[in-house]
Amino acid sequence: MSLSEHVFDAVIIGAGGAGQRAALQLAQSGKKVAMVSKVFPTRSHTVAAQGGINAALGNSGPDNWRWHMYDTVMGADFLGDQDAIEYMCKHAPDTIIELEHMGLPFSRNEQGKIYQRAFGGQTLNFGGDLAHRTCAAADRTGHAMLHTLYQKNVEARTHCYNEWYAVDLVKSVNGGIAGVIALCIETGEVVFLKSRATILATGGAGRIFQTTTNAHTCTGDGLGLVLRAGLPLQDMEMWQFHPTGIAGVGVLVTEGCRGEGGYLLNKNGERFMERYAPHLKDLSCRDVVSRSSMIEIREGRGLGPKGDYVLLKLDHLGEEVLKERLPTVMTLAKTFAGVDITKAPIPVTPTCHYLMGGMPTNINGEVLTVNKLGKDQIVPGLYGAGECASVSVHGANRLGANSLLDIVVFGRAAGLHLEAALQSGIEMPQVGTAELEEAMSRLNRWNFSQKGEDMHVIRTEMKMIMQKDFGVFRDGDTMNDGLKKLQALKERLAHAVLQDKSLTFNTARIEALELDNMMEVALSTAVSAERRKESRGGHSRIDFPDRDDAHWLKHSLYFGDGRVGERQVSQKTKETAPIELQLREH
Amino acid sequence: MLRSVTSLTRSGLRDWLVQRITAIVLAGYVIFLVGFFMLNQPMSFGLWTALFQNGFMRIFTFLALLSMVYHTWVGMWTVLTDYINCPRFRLLLVIVIVLSLFSYLAWAVAIVWGLR
Amino acid sequence: MAKTNVTLTSSNAGMPEDRQLTVSIYRYNPDVDKKPYTQDYDIHTSEFQGVMMLDLLEALKIKDPTLGFRRSCSEGVCGSDGMNINGKNRLACVTSYLDFSNHITIRPLPGLPVVRDLIVDMTQFYKQYEKAKPFLQNKNDPPVRERLQSIEERNKLDGLYECILCACCTTSCPSFWWNPDKFMGPAALLWAYRFVADSRDTQKAERLEALEDPFSMFRCRTIMNCVDVCPKGLNPTKAIAHLRDEMLKDTS
């Protein structure tokens, strides 16, 4: 097989916040780095993050990264690894200051410092009053961040493969990762990007659900890559449903709405979160608020012809505040719900938003697998950062505005670690024809498919199953049923056909390749969700309504061949005592 | 920064400024003439030649003519660089336009100052 | 317990009535087509969910997977799906078919080479963006904490930093059509001013000097097509005017 080879020190797959932060680190230190993205970098889904990014800067009164850590551990329902959470919260202020120096146009307070707003689950003094910890650029923080990072990469002259699609990882002869097969979407050219190390920063996979706040491009590509390379995924049952997706369309309106003083209402006009969570009310953790909304809807207190949404009230904040702090929400509500938020509430419903699970990594971003003895093992030449990774700082439920933080902190950490590793020398991996052929097999399968089913049908069915059987509330019987249907679908997908074999910007080919990955992610979610027999964070089971620390205070693992396993949750903090196990406000 | 040898001042800012200033001069000149015609009805050849015997009017006219030359240079250069893609042909057109503009200027000066 | 009167003046509740649309789409796949052509698709709006042009295109793509267009966020913030709908450049994901008659025409953004169907080659657009040096430059050593910026100073960036690089403005600008290699276009100039206006940037003079030639910025004839089409409601023409003012202040 003649496959042209492009050789780099590091190849980064994905150009969202994590990928770009890592790329910047390596480009600035003069490494030969390539950033591969299936969309132009500023179109990555980081751009859609609205509310902000958490850091205990203390710009609106005293704050402490340990309080931030406490909130994150509690929010994660104790499934987060405390060493990673400690690292993230401790490095948050420096990371934000660094972004400010890069030019990120943060909103400002009266003293000219970065403006910080209240957000869900953020408290002072270990569970006390609401903290104002979320640094914001109006309600366009993700956009401002992604553009700033891209601009710095332009300055650093990072080598970009824009609109190139990563097909599969290539293994090296000694079992590590040697790079990736990449497909130029515009021309159809296929090359082997060979590198000393590969960083996966491919983001989320929300598109496996019918309704999601995620972009069309959030198809879990990195997760599929990892599973097919024989590596595990962790906590794949842990999906976050955002309480305020615009009903019927799934477009997100930020938690910042409630941070600025908005609240939810049921059809009786009752501010129902006061009943479910008397302390934090509408600013409780997202899993709590989403569950509460769903209970309201299920018990007949929703609105609309189908009674399937609740309302987010904002008009009492006044036009001036709304215009200054929530301009995007204003436009989105107008465009997608026909609502003028200065006058009327927005119809909202819990909507699939974020994957807490992903490829297990350590705090340096190195991807982990487990050996036969169940011990963690670093995969040579492979890093992961951002939503596709599970460090795990979010455990069973992510706090709002911790995701922008996660991507920059661990994008940077992966970059720093790899920079040092390259400095001390990483050997160029050896690759044989067998490994290359294996990595090419999936693309070849589609390219040579002659007849079979249309993949759109399979995709639609998969999304319906996920939506129906793996939503906010889950139950053993329906999950088993859903799992069986998914397994049958995967079999059908293996025989589906790609009709259009043309080379130039063939989006049908890309969608087929994406569906392979989505199917892997859907299955890993189904298997892991069915298996975890408790309710924790974003995973709520009707048949097992309580948290079960005795049996399930552990990460669940899933391998592509169907094998499952577990990993310990880390409590090994460095500078501060680990947060002790306790129940959250419900 | 991009360069162009055929633009009037070779600076976008200066070209832009020249175009605005010359436009004001031309507008002033036109308004003055219209006013002169309206205030002096019926107009006669005598009044007309008397006006141009005036030193101020001669200088004003010269300024207006110069403005027309510069204004046209900037404007036509812009139009040509938009629509004429062949650089040789464009250069030729610019040269023809600029030469004719200065010929007109010389001719007009000769008329106003009565040079023979 | 707090109670509030709930009034919904308007909402997305209930599907709009079914309509049969004819959508004429510019088609060109260089692998198989000798030249571009227009293809008409008939579709009932009851066949798909949502009222946006992107929802419509996604439904058409299921019928005809060869149809090519870019899309990602579907909420108007990633800037992928700029296209010319009924003669005006817009984002498909935030443009509703309810605003149009039953016959809709979709063409790629004008002024850039077509790669396939509604997908254009944006290389030239990105090159011009990079020409604006779109990154903060500050030659002083950074402080330990954030660089301070007053609310008033920060307000100057509003209406500038929100650009999503969708190219709707630049590809609606005749000055860019005629000189795509020399005139930077409204989007790039908006970004140029975003950094000139930033109190934290120290390279204002250098930035202005780089725009002084007769082409890069001064090709703007203030026809304001860019303002008319910007899906984020930004005003590049005003940014260009500000740049010119700054230049005059700086040099006269």
Side-chain angles (χ1 to χ4, degrees):
Chain A
M1 189 164 33
S2 65
L3 199 58
S4 68
E5 242 180 49
H6 301 186
V7 183
F8 294 94
D9 289 332
V11 166
I12 296 163
I13 301 165
Q20 290 211 36
R21 185 62 191 83
L24 187 59
Q25 194 65 44
L26 294 163
Q28 283 176 339
S29 66
K31 300 290 177 288
K32 200 181 171 205
V33 53
M35 184 164 72
V36 184
S37 173
K38 63 178 176 177
V39 293
F40 181 76
T42 63
R43 322 222 183 275
S44 309
H45 200 49
T46 300
V47 82
Q50 298 171 13
I53 175 165
N54 291 328
L57 289 175
N59 287 355
S60 329
D63 203 353
N64 187 325
W65 66 262
R66 289 173 181 85
W67 303 342
H68 181 193
M69 176 178 168
Y70 170 86
D71 292 335
T72 306
V73 173
M74 289 291 283
D77 223 352
F78 290 89
L79 196 64
D81 291 306
Q82 295 206 20
D83 58 338
I85 295 175
E86 180 187 46
Y87 180 88
M88 179 176 81
C89 296
K90 186 170 172 250
H91 286 88
D94 288 349
T95 313
I96 302 302
I97 296 301
E98 210 172 68
L99 286 170
E100 195 283 327
H101 291 165
M102 286 183 201
L104 202 154
F106 281 112
S107 300
R108 300 289 167 153
N109 65 15
E110 293 293 341
Q111 293 102 51
K113 296 178 183 169
I114 296 171
Y115 166 75
Q116 295 189 285
R117 60 160 55 113
F119 232 64
Q122 299 290 337
T123 68
L124 299 173
N125 215 354
F126 309 107
D129 289 341
L130 276 178
H132 289 71
R133 188 175 291 142
T134 305
C135 310
D139 57 357
R140 308 184 183 93
T141 318
H143 169 279
M145 178 197 279
L146 189 66
H147 278 260
T148 302
L149 285 171
Y150 180 63
Q151 289 155 2
K152 282 290 151 181
N153 272 298
V154 168
E155 189 182 27
R157 300 182 179 280
T158 305
H159 188 87
C160 297
Y161 284 82
N162 293 337
E163 296 185 321
W164 280 68
Y165 184 78
V167 178
D168 259 317
L169 293 171
V170 179
K171 282 188 246 175
S172 68
V173 287
N174 60 6
I177 299 299
V180 68
I181 300 290
L183 164 71
C184 175
I185 301 175
E186 187 178 328
T187 63
E189 184 192 2
V190 179
V191 301
F192 170 32
L193 301 180
K194 189 176 179 182
S195 65
R196 296 176 201 274
T198 304
I199 301 181
L200 292 173
T202 57
R207 281 281 154 178
I208 65 168
F209 288 85
Q210 208 169 27
T211 314
T212 171
T213 64
N214 286 191
H216 283 277
T217 42
C218 297
T219 53
D221 296 318
L223 305 171
L225 259 61
V226 160
L227 285 178
R228 279 189 301 274
L231 304 169
L233 294 181
Q234 171 174 290
D235 296 338
M236 290 301 289
E237 66 277 28
M238 296 302 178
W239 282 87
Q240 176 167 83
F241 291 81
H242 196 290
T244 57
I246 296 178
V249 276
V251 171
L252 172 78
V253 292
T254 172
E255 187 166 287
C257 292
R258 283 168 287 137
E260 296 292 343
Y263 49 82
L264 295 167
L265 298 172
N266 63 19
K267 80 166 180 191
N268 303 323
E270 180 201 353
R271 187 175 172 183
F272 59 85
M273 281 314 298
E274 290 182 334
R275 181 155 35 89
Y276 292 98
H279 179 45
L280 292 179
K281 303 188 182 94
D282 294 84
L283 284 178
S284 295
C285 290
R286 286 178 181 171
D287 58 332
V288 176
V289 181
S290 280
R291 257 194 308 278
S292 308
S293 291
M294 279 316 284
I295 292 171
E296 291 298 302
I297 289 167
R298 287 159 72 113
E299 292 181 354
R301 291 188 293 278
L303 291 94
K306 293 186 206 150
D308 58 355
Y309 60 77
V310 294
L311 297 174
L312 173 63
K313 184 176 155 60
L314 292 167
D315 54 306
H316 58 284
L317 299 177
E319 196 168 336
E320 207 169 301
V321 171
L322 294 174
K323 267 191 183 146
E324 192 197 322
R325 305 267 165 78
L326 302 166
T328 304
V329 172
M330 217 162 184
T331 321
L332 289 175
K334 188 91 223 147
T335 311
F336 288 98
V339 167
D340 175 359
I341 59 169
T342 61
K343 297 197 174 78
I346 312 173
V348 292
T349 192
T351 307
C352 168
H353 182 58
Y354 187 85
L355 170 65
M356 273 76 72
M359 56 201 80
T361 69
N362 60 22
I363 58 169
N364 299 320
E366 293 169 293
V367 171
L368 304 171
T369 184
V370 287
N371 64 15
K372 289 204 176 84
L373 302 167
K375 284 262 185 288
D376 282 357
Q377 216 168 28
I378 290 170
V379 180
L382 190 63
Y383 288 74
E387 189 171 343
C388 69
S390 172
V391 193
S392 153
V393 283
H394 309 306
N397 171 64
R398 171 172 73 77
L399 289 187
N402 260 0
S403 130
L404 285 186
L405 181 61
D406 169 16
I407 62 179
V408 279
V409 165
F410 291 104
R412 176 174 173 270
L416 283 169
H417 187 269
L418 181 51
E419 184 186 336
L422 286 166
Q423 223 76 41
S424 46
I426 305 178
E427 258 187 53
M428 190 56 82
Q430 297 292 311
V431 179
T433 357
E435 283 83 13
L436 277 175
E437 267 170 26
E438 196 190 336
M440 283 293 294
S441 61
R442 185 166 80 99
L443 181 61
N444 287 333
R445 212 284 293 156
W446 283 109
N447 284 347
F448 296 112
S449 63
Q450 287 300 324
K451 54 177 189 278
E453 196 176 358
D454 185 14
M455 68 120 202
H456 290 287
V457 185
I458 300 172
R459 189 171 62 188
T460 309
E461 283 184 38
M462 176 200 70
K463 288 174 182 233
M464 278 167 62
I465 295 167
M466 294 310 293
Q467 191 77 17
K468 198 170 128 293
D469 298 333
F470 299 93
V472 176
F473 285 107
R474 297 163 175 181
D475 184 72
D477 290 343
T478 51
M479 281 197 288
N480 267 314
D481 192 41
L483 178 55
K484 278 192 200 109
K485 285 188 196 150
L486 283 175
Q487 280 159 340
L489 269 185
K490 188 183 177 183
E491 189 49 38
R492 276 163 62 191
L493 182 60
H495 303 286
V497 69
L498 174 71
Q499 297 285 3
D500 182 3
K501 308 273 200 306
S502 62
L503 289 173
T504 306
F505 224 111
N506 186 346
T507 44
R509 178 182 284 118
I510 302 302
E511 285 186 21
L513 291 165
E514 286 173 340
L515 183 55
D516 283 336
N517 294 326
M518 285 199 277
M519 192 61 81
E520 300 277 7
V521 175
L523 265 168
S524 66
T525 296
V527 169
S528 310
E530 193 280 327
R531 194 160 159 266
R532 184 180 285 273
K533 303 223 167 21
E534 64 158 352
S535 289
R536 183 188 295 271
H539 178 64
S540 289
R541 288 187 65 147
I542 294 165
D543 47 353
F544 296 95
D546 297 319
R547 200 171 87 185
D548 178 1
D549 290 328
H551 298 99
W552 285 105
L553 184 59
K554 54 194 176 190
H555 298 298
S556 53
L557 290 183
Y558 170 90
F559 289 85
D561 56 10
R563 269 182 304 144
V564 290
E566 280 120 30
R567 279 183 70 225
Q568 287 306 307
V569 176
S570 165
Q571 315 272 353
K572 285 184 211 127
T573 50
K574 281 205 180 106
E575 290 184 31
T576 184
I579 315 294
E580 279 180 36
L581 208 57
Q582 53 195 288
L583 281 181
R584 292 193 301 164
E585 177 181 78
H586 276 285
Chain B
M1 196 195 280
L2 294 161
R3 295 264 165 226
S4 172
V5 287
T6 52
S7 83
L8 175 66
T9 68
R10 298 210 246 156
S11 147
L13 181 63
R14 228 171 298 147
D15 271 8
W16 179 84
L17 202 60
V18 163
Q19 205 171 23
R20 261 79 199 154
I21 294 167
T22 54
I24 292 167
V25 173
L26 285 169
Y29 191 72
V30 169
I31 291 165
F32 174 80
L33 277 189
V34 170
F36 181 77
F37 267 90
M38 287 187 9
L39 292 172
N40 296 287
Q41 284 299 336
M43 175 58 59
S44 68
F45 184 71
L47 280 171
W48 184 243
T49 41
L51 173 66
F52 280 90
Q53 295 301 321
N54 187 312
F56 161 78
M57 188 54 195
R58 284 183 172 175
I59 291 169
F60 195 16
T61 306
F62 179 70
L63 262 183
L65 287 165
L66 202 60
S67 292
M68 188 203 66
V69 169
Y70 284 167
H71 197 86
T72 314
W73 188 340
V74 173
M76 287 308 290
W77 179 82
T78 307
V79 172
L80 292 177
T81 44
D82 269 353
Y83 297 105
I84 308 296
N85 284 324
C86 168
R88 281 163 194 273
F89 185 49
R90 188 168 61 219
L91 179 63
L92 181 72
L93 285 178
V94 174
I95 291 170
V96 169
I97 287 171
V98 171
L99 287 180
S100 25
L101 282 172
F102 277 105
S103 311
Y104 284 129
L105 180 68
W107 189 15
V109 165
I111 292 169
V112 172
W113 261 274
L115 305 173
R116 286 281 160 192
Chain C
M1 199 172 290
K3 287 246 183 188
T4 312
N5 285 329
V6 180
T7 43
L8 252 186
T9 49
S10 57
S11 83
N12 61 347
M15 283 285 290
E17 59 173 316
D18 184 34
R19 280 166 60 183
Q20 194 198 322
L21 303 178
T22 304
V23 192
S24 303
I25 300 182
Y26 176 101
R27 297 298 311 271
Y28 177 61
N29 176 356
D31 294 4
V32 289
D33 303 323
K34 283 209 177 78
K35 56 179 187 186
Y37 61 97
T38 303
Q39 186 171 354
D40 287 349
Y41 295 91
D42 288 327
I43 187 164
H44 281 273
T45 57
S46 57
E47 291 174 49
F48 60 94
Q49 287 221 311
V51 296
M52 296 302 165
M53 290 302 295
L54 180 61
D55 302 323
L56 172 64
L57 282 168
E58 286 287 332
L60 290 177
K61 189 164 174 63
I62 289 179
K63 292 178 163 212
D64 177 3
T66 66
L67 177 62
F69 54 91
R70 292 191 179 98
R71 87 281 182 268
S72 184
C73 76
S74 73
E75 56 185 61
V77 68
C78 78
S80 297
D81 60 352
M83 53 186 76
N84 188 280
I85 304 173
N86 277 2
K88 188 173 168 181
N89 293 350
R90 330 171 194 239
L91 296 180
C93 58
V94 289
T95 303
S96 168
Y97 65 71
L98 296 173
D99 298 338
F100 302 127
S101 72
N102 289 344
H103 186 225
I104 302 171
T105 308
I106 311 179
R107 300 171 58 81
L109 290 175
L112 291 173
V114 173
V115 176
R116 173 176 177 161
D117 300 339
L118 301 173
I119 298 159
V120 290
D121 179 355
M122 295 178 71
T123 313
Q124 194 61 256
F125 174 76
Y126 296 137
K127 263 192 197 161
Q128 296 296 1
Y129 166 71
E130 290 183 15
K131 226 188 260 178
K133 298 213 169 157
F135 37 82
L136 190 85
Q137 298 177 80
N138 190 316
K139 301 288 171 191
N140 306 322
D141 286 338
V144 181
R145 291 282 303 212
E146 64 260 59
R147 290 196 165 96
L148 297 181
Q149 187 172 46
S150 71
I151 292 174
E152 293 70 36
E153 286 169 335
R154 170 60 183 75
N155 283 348
K156 289 189 182 153
L157 307 184
D158 283 340
L160 303 171
Y161 80 97
E162 300 95 321
C163 171
I164 56 173
L165 296 175
C166 65
C168 281
C169 61
T170 296
T171 60
S172 71
C173 176
S175 291
F176 180 77
W177 297 342
W178 308 145
N179 288 293
D181 54 334
K182 298 193 185 79
F183 176 57
M184 289 165 66
L189 291 165
L190 185 87
W191 278 105
Y193 184 58
R194 178 249 174 276
F195 288 98
V196 167
D198 197 320
S199 61
R200 300 170 294 173
D201 195 279
T202 56
Q203 303 309 101
K204 182 173 156 188
E206 290 78 359
R207 289 180 185 279
L208 291 174
E209 202 192 319
L211 298 174
E212 220 204 277
D213 67 90
F215 278 105
S216 301
M217 177 178 92
F218 281 97
R219 266 302 139 129
C220 169
R221 316 310 311 171
T222 335
I223 62 164
M224 295 171 73
N225 274 12
C226 51
V227 185
D228 186 42
V229 298
C230 176
K232 306 307 282 182
L234 309 179
N235 190 334
T237 308
K238 200 164 132 193
I240 293 169
H242 282 310
L243 281 171
R244 222 164 28 214
D245 288 352
E246 293 287 343
M247 255 181 218
L248 278 175
K249 266 195 264 170
D250 245 39
T251 53
S252 56

